[in-house]
Amino acid sequence: DYEAAVLAEKNAAIPAPPPKVPVLSRPLPRQCKSGIVSDDWKFSEIDRKSGAVSVMSSRQCGNVSKRGIITHPPFKNGVTGSVYSRFRISLAPDECRFTASVGKGDASTPGDGIFYKVAVKAAKDALPKVVSELNVTKHGWCTIEADLSPWAGRAIELYLIAAPGAN
């Protein structure tokens, strides 16, 4: 029957809803290590003369205020790189996804944006692995998400990284 065949084709084109993926639903620990990281994963302390910042505070993005880690990559005195915050956490076996709000502060210059990254390092890994990236160019909040399923049930170091925009 032609009508049934067309209906079957239409239904076949509708993708099934994705399965629910457990999310890391607890807050990250308040204690973290912050510093500057280069593109080749060399870590150093934050030098305030470089303009780099990583502090717990509130920030308004898109006229909405949220509390969290306020960061700015280094940009003065020849210092380059990104600012990172590292959290040591143990994932439950069913914690497979990380989400966080990231934004560009309302009082900031337009510039070329902020390149956010989420990276993970397990005990056996030599270097962190970037698992998510998001470039934010407008004042407002966005959500960055990362798949943590390869590390479910394990202890990891979770890195939140803020890098200068593309230019």
Side-chain angles (χ1 to χ4, degrees), residues 73-134:
F75 65 99
K76 294 179 182 174
N77 298 323
V79 179
T80 61
S82 305
V83 171
Y84 75 91
S85 297
R86 181 192 69 208
F87 299 87
R88 291 190 169 134
I89 59 174
S90 292
L91 296 173
D94 63 345
E95 290 179 318
C96 300
R97 193 143 205 79
F98 171 78
T99 63
S101 294
V102 295
K104 185 165 174 51
D106 288 346
S108 65
T109 60
D112 57 355
I114 304 161
F115 199 57
Y116 289 100
K117 300 176 189 178
V118 177
V120 175
K121 182 180 179 296
K124 65 177 179 68
D125 300 331
L127 297 171
K129 177 183 178 183
V130 175
V131 294
S132 184
E133 299 175 316
L134 180 66

Side-chain angles (χ1 to χ4, degrees), residues 26-98:
R26 58 193 156 97
L28 288 171
R30 291 188 63 81
Q31 293 289 354
C32 70
K33 167 72 176 159
S34 294
I36 296 174
V37 60
S38 65
D39 289 340
D40 59 350
W41 296 106
K42 292 196 174 30
F43 295 91
S44 62
E45 298 295 319
I46 289 180
D47 176 358
R48 297 286 179 206
K49 294 177 186 172
S50 72
V53 175
S54 180
V55 296
M56 286 294 270
S57 187
S58 293
R59 177 69 62 184
Q60 188 167 312
C61 300
N63 294 319
V64 175
S65 185
K66 294 186 180 190
R67 184 158 177 76
I69 304 167
I70 308 306
T71 62
H72 195 289
F75 65 99
K76 294 179 182 174
N77 298 323
V79 179
T80 61
S82 305
V83 171
Y84 75 91
S85 297
R86 181 192 69 208
F87 299 87
R88 291 190 169 134
I89 59 174
S90 292
L91 296 173
D94 63 345
E95 290 179 318
C96 300
R97 193 143 205 79
F98 171 78

